[in-house]
């Protein structure tokens, strides 16, 4: 199991930051994770000793920088069990990765009347690009609904997938924590003749990921949620699909040749990586992957399942009907994300009071406004745990909620 005290000591901000002599309780990893010393040091060392442009220059320093950059791609492929590192495309973030799919593959393959199936618990990054394509091309969007406990209602899945070209869904909800049956959904998509696209931003940092076992066609995720830096995201796709797609953007590095009459593209993955890439970020990403692998993703999952159970029992046991935690109670099918309503307090008021106790949570719609509509709320308070959290952090959250009750007269 995870030694949380040891892990936390490896995160400078968590180990060293105090406010009014009280330690920081960081419960917003669903938004972005903190960074361990190994990631910070890897990026600093590269900038101090090895920085150079990659791919274009032939001198030794540039060659070394190129090798270090590509090592980040290799690390990502290893983490998700991709057949080839060449199937890993670096993007600015996971949102850009999802837009790449919709705008490159979608524009080349979807026309008026074609069907894209989404779920009601998607992040805007897996909604808006398809809605943009719908406005542009007349693509139809269908929605998989939810059960009362926040799981996908798959009772009419075959009907929804009939004639569909795409099923695009999250591997873990950033609001409900729900972990749907990804492998089953990919198989259902393929049986209907549709592509299976997985937004794995909330899944990859917390679970063993095997894209070959899923048999997905595309998987998008982000560095900054898995102890790596911001500014770099990942798109994995099956090579035959990536090869067949037109480029998403044009410019340097994605070309094979350019003439006055036109251009030809470089092979995948360069085909989708125009311009100067996030070189330093790829170095940090590689260090983050190694850090997670050192702890073991299966160990991280087991730690978070135990902490999730403790959080659900603690919060429900302490506050009863005064708190509503959205999503499944079964920790086998949910991750460590707790979106909740607390008494009649506005989520932003709850967040502000918790901040005064050094407890960092998020309040708002969490880039999932359609899901808020389904839940019948405008916003929720969201706490999310990771490998550096423990039961004391959950206790601090509960104590902070008691403090909110006192302040607002409950």
């Amino acid at each position: 199991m995870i030694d949380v005290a040891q892990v936390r000591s490896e995160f400078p901000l968590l180990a060293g930051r105090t406010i009014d002599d009280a330690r920081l309780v960081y419960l917003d990893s669903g938004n972005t994770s903190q960074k361990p010393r190994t990631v910070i040091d890897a990026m600093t060392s590269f900038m101090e000793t090895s920085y150079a442009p990659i791919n274009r220059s032939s001198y030794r320093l540039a060659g070394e920088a190129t090798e270090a950059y590509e090592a980040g791609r290799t690390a990502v492929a290893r983490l998700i069990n991709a057949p080839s590192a060449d199937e890993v495309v670096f993007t600015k973030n996971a949102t850009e990765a999802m837009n790449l799919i919709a705008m490159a593959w979608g524009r080349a393959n979807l026309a008026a009347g074609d069907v894209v199936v989404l779920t009601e618990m998607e992040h805007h990054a897996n909604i808006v690009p398809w809605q943009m394509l719908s406005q542009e091309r007349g693509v139809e969007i269908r929605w998989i609904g939810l059960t009362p406990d926040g799981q996908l209602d798959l009772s009419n899945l075959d009907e929804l997938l009939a004639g569909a070209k795409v099923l695009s869904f999250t591997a873990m909800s950033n609001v409900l924590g729900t972990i749907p049956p990804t492998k089953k959904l990919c198989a259902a998509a393929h049986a209907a003749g549709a592509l299976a696209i997985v937004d794995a931003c909330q899944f990859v940092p917390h679970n063993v990921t095997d894209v070959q076992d899923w048999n997905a066609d595309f998987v998008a995720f982000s560095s900054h949620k898995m102890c790596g830096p911001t500014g770099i995201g990942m798109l994995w796709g099956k090579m035959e699909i990536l090869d067949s797609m037109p480029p998403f953007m044009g410019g340097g590095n994605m070309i094979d040749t350019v003439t006055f009459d036109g251009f030809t593209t470089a092979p995948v993955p360069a085909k989708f990586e125009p311009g100067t890439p996030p070189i330093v970020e790829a170095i940090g990403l590689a260090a983050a992957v190694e850090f997670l692998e050192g702890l073991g993703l299966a160990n991280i999952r087991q730690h978070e399942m135990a902490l999730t159970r403790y959080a659900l029992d603690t919060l429900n046991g302490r506050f009863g009907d005064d708190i509503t935690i959205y999503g499944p109670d079964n920790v086998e099918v949910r991750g460590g994300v707790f979106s909740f309503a607390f008494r009649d307090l506005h989520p932003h008021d709850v967040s502000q009071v918790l901040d005064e106790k050094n407890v960092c949570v998020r309040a708002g719609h969490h880039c999932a406004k359609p899901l808020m509509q389904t839940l019948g709320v405008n916003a929720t308070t969201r706490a999310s745990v990771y490998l550096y959290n423990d039961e004391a952090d959950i206790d601090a959250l509960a104590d902070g909620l008691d403090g909110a009750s006192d302040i607002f007269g409950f």
Side-chain angles (χ1 to χ4, degrees):
M1 296 296 288
I2 301 294
D3 182 344
V4 176
Q6 173 59 39
V7 169
R8 188 180 285 134
S9 73
E10 300 184 49
F11 288 76
L13 188 147
L14 297 177
R17 178 70 186 270
T18 61
I19 303 175
D20 298 328
D21 297 323
R23 74 178 181 91
L24 187 72
V25 177
Y26 188 76
L27 294 173
D28 196 21
S29 295
N31 182 0
T32 193
S33 63
Q34 294 298 331
K35 319 306 172 191
R37 172 60 66 188
T38 53
V39 170
I40 298 167
D41 288 349
M43 297 173 71
T44 301
S45 176
F46 179 77
M47 287 188 286
E48 288 179 343
T49 67
S50 306
Y51 183 80
I54 68 165
N55 295 326
R56 300 183 180 94
S57 300
S58 58
Y59 49 88
R60 185 182 310 166
L61 183 64
E64 292 173 355
T66 300
E67 289 179 5
Y69 175 81
E70 290 300 329
R73 197 188 309 275
T74 300
V76 170
R78 184 178 67 245
L79 180 70
I80 64 173
N81 193 31
S84 168
D86 288 341
E87 294 177 333
V88 176
V89 176
F90 284 144
T91 59
K92 181 174 64 178
N93 45 44
T95 297
E96 183 175 271
M98 296 303 294
N99 275 268
L100 192 161
I101 299 167
M103 299 307 163
W105 183 89
R107 281 177 172 156
N109 291 278
L110 298 179
D114 286 337
V115 174
V116 172
V117 180
L118 308 176
T119 86
E120 291 185 357
M121 62 183 184
E122 296 309 311
H123 188 281
H124 295 163
N126 194 28
I127 296 177
V128 177
W130 301 111
Q131 290 179 330
M132 292 168 64
L133 201 60
S134 177
Q135 293 173 357
E136 178 184 311
R137 296 289 179 88
V139 171
E140 177 188 350
I141 298 177
R142 297 175 186 166
W143 300 90
I144 299 174
L146 303 180
T147 62
D149 67 342
Q151 298 189 65
L152 293 182
D153 181 356
L154 302 180
S155 60
N156 63 337
L157 181 62
D158 290 343
E159 179 184 344
L160 289 171
L161 286 174
K165 294 288 186 71
V166 170
L167 170 60
S168 190
F169 62 96
T170 180
M172 176 179 151
S173 169
N174 72 314
V175 174
L176 305 173
T178 305
I179 300 176
T182 299
K183 186 175 180 178
K184 175 182 177 179
L185 290 171
C186 290
H190 293 151
L195 286 191
I197 301 170
V198 182
D199 172 2
C201 278
Q202 299 291 335
F203 188 93
V204 171
H206 308 276
N207 300 269
V208 175
T209 303
D210 189 336
V211 297
Q212 294 189 70
D213 183 60
W214 282 351
N215 194 24
D217 296 297
F218 292 108
V219 177
F221 51 108
S222 187
S223 162
H224 74 98
K225 296 184 189 294
M226 49 184 279
C227 298
T230 57
I232 185 168
M234 288 73 71
L235 171 65
W236 171 82
K238 290 180 177 177
M239 181 56 74
E240 61 269 25
I241 302 176
L242 292 170
D243 257 341
S244 69
M245 290 163 51
F248 176 47
M249 294 186 290
N253 200 55
M254 53 71 64
I255 59 93
D256 176 38
T257 187
V258 179
T259 70
F260 287 113
D261 298 318
F263 70 96
T264 56
T265 63
V268 176
K271 176 182 181 180
F272 298 107
E273 296 182 4
T276 302
I279 304 169
V280 179
E281 288 78 4
I283 307 304
L285 171 60
V289 170
E290 292 173 4
F291 178 80
L292 294 177
E293 288 176 330
L295 293 173
L297 271 298
N299 293 330
I300 294 170
R301 172 62 176 152
Q302 289 300 313
H303 168 71
E304 292 184 8
M305 286 175 66
L307 192 55
T308 297
R309 182 74 272 153
Y310 180 80
L312 293 173
D313 291 346
T314 297
L315 295 173
N316 283 320
R318 191 157 170 179
F319 300 110
D321 292 339
D322 287 334
I323 193 168
T324 300
I325 303 175
Y326 299 100
D329 182 70
N330 180 4
V331 298
E332 297 285 341
V333 293
R334 77 169 296 156
V337 174
F338 317 103
S339 293
F340 59 89
F342 185 64
R343 297 186 168 131
D344 291 328
L345 299 181
H346 192 283
H348 289 96
D349 291 332
V350 174
S351 174
Q352 183 176 352
V353 172
L354 290 173
D355 180 51
E356 293 175 0
K357 302 294 184 180
N358 293 343
V359 178
C360 304
V361 299
R362 188 173 179 87
H365 54 71
H366 317 297
C367 296
K369 279 194 168 186
L371 176 55
M372 295 294 113
Q373 183 176 340
T374 295
L375 297 177
V377 297
N378 291 320
T380 67
T381 307
R382 184 186 72 184
S384 49
V385 300
Y386 202 13
L387 46 87
Y388 36 64
N389 295 116
D390 59 13
E391 294 179 354
D393 294 332
I394 302 303
D395 293 340
L397 170 64
D399 291 343
L401 291 175
D402 263 339
S405 299
D406 294 339
I407 290 173
F408 290 98
F410 285 93

